[in-house]
Amino acid sequence: MANKSVFAAAMGRLLPRTDVRNREGAPAFAYDARHKLAQLAVTGTFNAGFYAQAQEQLGDAFEVCEGVSPEFLGQAAVYARKSGHMKDMPAFMLAVLSRRDSALFARAFGRVVDNGRMLRTFVQIMRSGQTGRKSLGARPKAMVQRWLNEASDAQLLHASVGNDPSLADVIKMVHPKPKDKNREAFFAWLIGKPCDIALLPQAVQDFIRFKETRKGGLPDVPFQMLTALELNKHQWRDIALNGGWHMMRMNLNTFVRHGVFEDVGVTRAIADRLRDVEAIRKARVFPYQLMSALTALDGEAPTIIREALHDAMEIAVSNVPVIDGSVAVCPDVSGSMCSPVTGFRRGSTSVVRCVDVAGLVTAAMLRRNPDCQVLPFEHDVRSVRLEARDTVASNAERLASIGGGGTNCSAPLARLNRDGKAPDLVLLVSDNQSWIDAGNSRWNDGTETLRQWEILKRRNPKARMVCIDIAPYGTTQAQEREDILNVGGFSDNVFDVITAFANGNMSADHWVGQIEGVEI
């Protein structure tokens, strides 16, 4: 038998050389500008993470936005909003684009700014001066004016909820020319000026009347406009039944406090709405948002509500692929994964952590592929017993409860190699900041993750690996090539990409290619 250590060293010399150090100072591969922007587009939140402060994320985002073509910047902004369901990052990219290419900006504007909250976020970012200008400028101002005039009455009413800036601030800033007398009256009411009430939308007239008398049915306005008023149980039940899907999900504990669930019929109706397939898909809900609702649900909430959230979770991950072949899923359960998935922000930090998202991806894959092997890792692979027939949320919770040590992305691959296994598809879900195994790799001489992958490939040349990156740090342990795909994000859209890659229907750089295919 030939000396294995000699041949292992020879293989190492053939590996691509690393070109950067990650946040732990270990060898890694840097994404190119387009891929880094794609990663930021679907994972960046401008909140502090485990390895990066909010201002550092902002600097990285601005630098990479400047380093790609205006066309790709616009495409990434649209992709982040439409496929990644992000908010702050697409608005930021749109703001940068407004300075770099005003024509492309105008074409992308309506696809990124698709509701009042996005409009206010865009204006806030523009006014901050962080994108190279401190005022809106002629073209952005015209696009905001256009949105204000073309928005429906309901869209404007919903946009009026929120501050910093408020919709009134935006209207005062851009001075839109009303398209008719009715919109003129509406703008006046929104900024607190006298107006002809008879010209206001019916919902606003109903709200004014209800606010004065507290009589009659609830007006059809955003529930936030009503909650400051003293309402009885029946009125709270009407709010619960008539609100949007996300409002219902986010206010279940509020409904507990106001006695909404004391009515069995109302409780059943809310449960049915929570598990409604079309409502879930229309809401573009993140699976982790459902986990957040389950985690925070008041113990006094009826069991049927908790079960409905579990059902909603199953629906939200229903596009998880059934893989034709063997599968291994490797969730990172190290200490750095315990940071909130959307970062630390005082007063609004998510209770869902990166490790919870990794657990969700793993549990969802296990549910659809019950024979897949699960290899959670930190310093080394950790043991955990999961049942494929358990709910996705329950299995995710079990996975997230273990671990907490340092990051070793090569550990699950090394375990597969020691056991003589070579699955057709390996999914590695991590923040990619591996360092425990750095001593096994010389600087500029590959990574241990890539080295272990090469060993596995000897036993199964057709094997493919997908590295799902859920943090905006810009490096990977496994460089893209025909059998390795790096994809970012924590929306269920990631599963579509996995499906295409696993089936051989896309190349390793096709995630960026998908963004390049966006029409604006």
Side-chain angles (χ1 to χ4, degrees), residues 152-208:
S152 67
D153 292 339
Q155 286 177 312
L156 277 181
L157 202 53
H158 279 83
S160 69
V161 176
N163 296 297
D164 300 323
S166 67
L167 186 64
D169 293 332
V170 175
I171 293 172
K172 292 175 183 177
M173 188 187 313
V174 303
H175 304 291
K177 184 178 180 181
K179 62 182 180 180
D180 53 37
K181 293 292 184 181
N182 297 83
R183 187 51 57 101
E184 182 180 9
F186 200 2
F187 285 159
W189 182 80
L190 286 167
I191 63 176
K193 287 188 174 182
C195 63
D196 185 345
I197 294 178
L199 294 176
L200 293 175
Q202 188 61 52
V204 177
Q205 295 184 43
D206 294 342
F207 172 71
I208 293 172

Side-chain angles (χ1 to χ4, degrees), residues 215-235:
K215 295 180 180 179
L218 290 178
D220 185 17
V221 297
F223 87 101
Q224 295 94 330
M225 296 174 65
L226 300 170
T227 53
L229 310 176
E230 290 187 12
L231 305 175
N232 59 40
K233 289 182 181 180
H234 297 290
Q235 291 167 333

Side-chain angles (χ1 to χ4, degrees), residues 112-393:
V112 175
V113 179
D114 53 9
N115 61 37
R117 177 174 178 175
M118 288 299 297
L119 181 79
R120 292 189 294 104
T121 299
F122 170 74
V123 172
Q124 177 190 11
I125 290 172
M126 290 290 288
R127 292 176 67 192
S128 71
Q130 298 288 352
T131 62
R133 61 196 311 172
K134 294 184 178 180
S135 62
L136 288 180
R139 182 63 68 90
K141 181 178 179 180
M143 297 305 298
V144 173
Q145 290 172 333
R146 180 177 175 180
W147 191 95
L148 290 169
N149 259 316
E150 293 185 352
S152 67
D153 292 339
Q155 286 177 312
L156 277 181
L157 202 53
H158 279 83
S160 69
V161 176
N163 296 297
D164 300 323
S166 67
L167 186 64
D169 293 332
V170 175
I171 293 172
K172 292 175 183 177
M173 188 187 313
V174 303
H175 304 291
K177 184 178 180 181
K179 62 182 180 180
D180 53 37
K181 293 292 184 181
N182 297 83
R183 187 51 57 101
E184 182 180 9
F186 200 2
F187 285 159
W189 182 80
L190 286 167
I191 63 176
K193 287 188 174 182
C195 63
D196 185 345
I197 294 178
L199 294 176
L200 293 175
Q202 188 61 52
V204 177
Q205 295 184 43
D206 294 342
F207 172 71
I208 293 172
R209 189 177 303 111
F210 180 81
K211 189 176 180 180
E212 292 175 348
T213 67
R214 308 294 170 85
K215 295 180 180 179
L218 290 178
D220 185 17
V221 297
F223 87 101
Q224 295 94 330
M225 296 174 65
L226 300 170
T227 53
L229 310 176
E230 290 187 12
L231 305 175
N232 59 40
K233 289 182 181 180
H234 297 290
Q235 291 167 333
W236 269 105
R237 289 168 189 170
D238 286 343
I239 288 176
L241 292 173
N242 296 324
W245 193 91
H246 273 298
M247 184 280 284
M248 187 176 291
R249 169 187 65 83
M250 295 172 66
N251 289 278
L252 294 173
N253 290 343
T254 301
F255 299 158
V256 171
R257 291 195 300 271
H258 291 281
V260 171
F261 295 126
E262 294 174 11
D263 187 306
V264 176
V266 171
T267 301
R268 184 171 290 109
I270 292 173
D272 290 343
R273 181 81 185 285
L274 285 171
R275 59 166 65 98
D276 181 80
V277 175
E278 289 306 313
I280 291 169
R281 289 175 179 164
K282 185 178 179 181
R284 299 189 301 186
V285 60
F286 283 126
Y288 83 80
Q289 291 173 321
L290 289 163
M291 171 168 274
S292 177
L294 274 165
T295 302
L297 190 62
D298 194 303
E300 297 298 317
T303 300
I304 190 176
I305 298 298
R306 186 173 296 277
E307 291 175 346
L309 287 173
H310 278 284
D311 292 341
M313 176 73 78
E314 302 291 330
I315 295 166
V317 297
S318 60
N319 64 336
V320 174
V322 175
I323 303 300
D324 184 15
S326 53
V327 182
V329 189
C330 313
D332 182 349
V333 295
S334 65
S336 62
M337 294 286 284
C338 292
S339 60
V341 69
T342 54
F344 297 96
R345 184 169 62 179
R346 187 172 182 177
S348 59
T349 297
S350 171
V351 298
V352 179
R353 304 160 297 169
C354 292
V355 70
D356 297 316
V357 174
L360 278 175
V361 173
T362 304
M365 287 296 298
L366 179 63
R367 188 63 181 271
R368 295 281 284 165
N369 301 271
D371 293 328
C372 79
Q373 185 174 4
V374 177
L375 300 166
F377 67 93
E378 43 164 274
H379 281 75
D380 204 345
V381 173
R382 296 292 303 270
S383 297
V384 61
R385 181 177 178 82
L386 303 176
E387 297 292 340
R389 296 187 66 179
D390 280 355
T391 66
V392 170

